[in-house]
Amino acid sequence: MTQHSEPVLVRAAEAETVGAAPNYVTLLADVSTTGGVMSSARTRLGVGADGAAPHYHTGSSELFFMLGGKLEVLVGEEIVTVSEGDMLVVPPLTTHAFRAAVGSSADVLIVFVPGVERFDYFRLLEKVGHGEATAQDLLDSQEKFDNHFVESPVWTESAKNRQ
């Protein structure tokens, strides 16, 4: 990580967006912009929509700040609901996942500290969604993006109960 001493201003109109309404991510600041200090994106999920599958990061904490709606978040073996104005910080090596709560959309600012490469990760997710990349490509990128997928019986069972 390099020392970063310049202000970072990201104009909403200039930020790249991946995905399509109602589920999309606005890419705000990546490690190349912040000198590795942090990376951030704004994620919007439609009513009850899935966000991220269970995973963990080895080197970064992931902060969720709720701008609107409600988000269900797996944290270890517990599922918590965070609502507008709430903040949750998931430390490194902690399994987590997230989705919009049943009957609610979610608008969440996600920040990684220290920063981790996320923009290319989100672009890869979009390619997988369009059939331009495979799930195996995503699995092969786990080390590169410090996004390690794991099984979670708690998350799987709760998904069954949502239907």
Side-chain angles (χ1 to χ4, degrees):
M1 180 169 45
T2 61
Q3 185 67 18
H4 187 76
S5 60
E6 295 295 319
V8 175
L9 172 63
V10 180
R11 300 277 183 196
E14 298 167 1
E16 178 183 353
T17 298
V18 295
N23 305 313
Y24 58 99
V25 178
T26 303
L27 308 177
L28 298 172
D30 215 356
V31 293
S32 60
T33 307
T34 67
V37 173
M38 52 84 70
S39 51
S40 64
R42 181 177 183 180
T43 299
R44 294 180 181 103
L45 300 171
V47 175
D50 286 330
H55 65 283
Y56 66 89
H57 312 288
T58 61
S60 295
S61 293
E62 187 169 355
L63 177 147
F64 298 83
F65 181 78
M66 291 302 299
L67 300 169
K70 293 183 181 180
L71 195 68
E72 292 178 351
V73 184
L74 171 71
V75 182
E77 296 297 316
E78 179 182 5
I79 297 174
V80 298
T81 300
V82 289
S83 302
E84 183 174 336
D86 293 348
M87 182 188 79
L88 169 68
V89 178
V90 178
L93 302 175
T94 302
T95 297
H96 58 287
F98 62 89
R99 61 186 170 220
V102 173
S104 180
S105 59
D107 185 2
V108 57
L109 175 67
I110 298 175
V111 179
F112 291 88
V113 178
V116 62
E117 178 64 46
R118 297 312 286 170
F119 286 13
D120 284 343
Y121 174 76
F122 288 120
R123 292 175 186 128
L124 177 58
L125 283 176
E126 185 174 42
K127 288 179 181 179
V128 170
H130 290 302
E132 300 165 2
T134 66
Q136 187 60 50
D137 293 326
L138 197 56
L139 292 173
D140 292 344
S141 75
Q142 292 182 100
E143 287 297 324
K144 177 180 180 181
F145 298 120
D146 189 18
N147 201 83
H148 305 275
F149 296 103
V150 294
E151 295 293 322
S152 170
V154 171
W155 193 247
T156 302
E157 187 62 30
S158 72
K160 290 178 188 175
N161 294 333
R162 288 169 50 103
Q163 300 174 7

